[in-house]
């Protein structure tokens, strides 16, 4: 089975084609927070379950691309996603250390925290959809 998956992955990478059948997922609406009104569709967020092969292919692609991105020197030093050893936890530890150091130096410290838990709901979905459609023309699909 591993050789078949490797062959499919290499074919996908060499041709730049991702099979359309693997672009489909099972979407399940989940209530955003306990206690919200379950009859209001705005209180739900979609969670998509994908087949295993696309997840494997995504990891393989990330493993191929990540070394080039990391060595390019163009990645912002505060970028946390897709970087080994970086996470929201490491950023939180850095922030706490910065606050403690500033307090120790007698400096005034201000922390501004924004709750963006519903940020996706605030996006103009017609604009988002137009951007996705615009980028799709650069992708080929294998049916």
């Amino acid at each position: 089975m591993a050789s078949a998956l490797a062959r499919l992955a290499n074919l996908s990478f060499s041709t730049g084609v991702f099979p359309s059948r693997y672009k489909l997922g099972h979407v399940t609406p989940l209530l955003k927070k306990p206690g919200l009104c379950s009859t209001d569709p705005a209180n739900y967020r979609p969670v998509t379950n994908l087949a295993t092969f696309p997840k494997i292919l995504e990891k393989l692609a990330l493993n191929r691309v990540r070394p080039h991105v990391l060595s390019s020197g163009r990645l912002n030093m505060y970028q946390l996603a897709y970087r080994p050893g970086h996470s929201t936890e490491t950023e939180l530890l850095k922030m706490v250390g910065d606050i403690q150091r500033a307090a120790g130096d007698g400096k005034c410290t201000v922390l501004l925290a924004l709750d963006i838990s519903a940020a996706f709901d605030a996006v103009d979905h017609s604009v988002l959809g137009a951007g996705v459609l615009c980028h799709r023309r650069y992708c080929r699909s294998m049916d």
Side-chain angles (χ1 to χ4, degrees), residues 102-103 105-110:
D105 292 343
K107 296 180 180 176
C108 178
T109 304
V110 176

Side-chain angles (χ1 to χ4, degrees), residues 77-78 80 86-96 98:
M77 64 184 283
Y78 298 108
L80 301 176
H86 292 78
S87 66
T88 53
E89 289 85 3
T90 56
E91 182 58 28
L92 180 61
L93 289 172
K94 180 191 176 308
M95 181 183 62
V96 169
D98 290 348

Side-chain angles (χ1 to χ4, degrees), residues 24-103:
L24 301 175
H26 179 75
V27 179
T28 305
L30 293 179
L31 203 56
K32 291 178 184 178
K33 295 179 184 176
L36 291 177
C37 177
S38 61
T39 59
D40 184 359
N43 291 334
Y44 287 87
R45 64 181 172 87
V47 174
T48 305
N49 293 322
L50 300 173
T52 302
F53 177 67
K55 292 179 183 181
I56 293 171
L57 195 61
E58 180 183 7
K59 293 287 186 186
L60 292 171
L62 182 61
N63 287 339
R64 287 184 176 198
V65 172
R66 182 186 286 154
H68 300 292
V69 172
L70 293 176
S71 67
S72 72
R74 293 176 166 241
L75 194 61
N76 185 299
M77 64 184 283
Y78 298 108
Q79 170 69 36
L80 301 176
Y82 311 110
R83 293 180 68 192
H86 292 78
S87 66
T88 53
E89 289 85 3
T90 56
E91 182 58 28
L92 180 61
L93 289 172
K94 180 191 176 308
M95 181 183 62
V96 169
D98 290 348
I99 290 171
Q100 289 175 334
R101 189 172 22 268

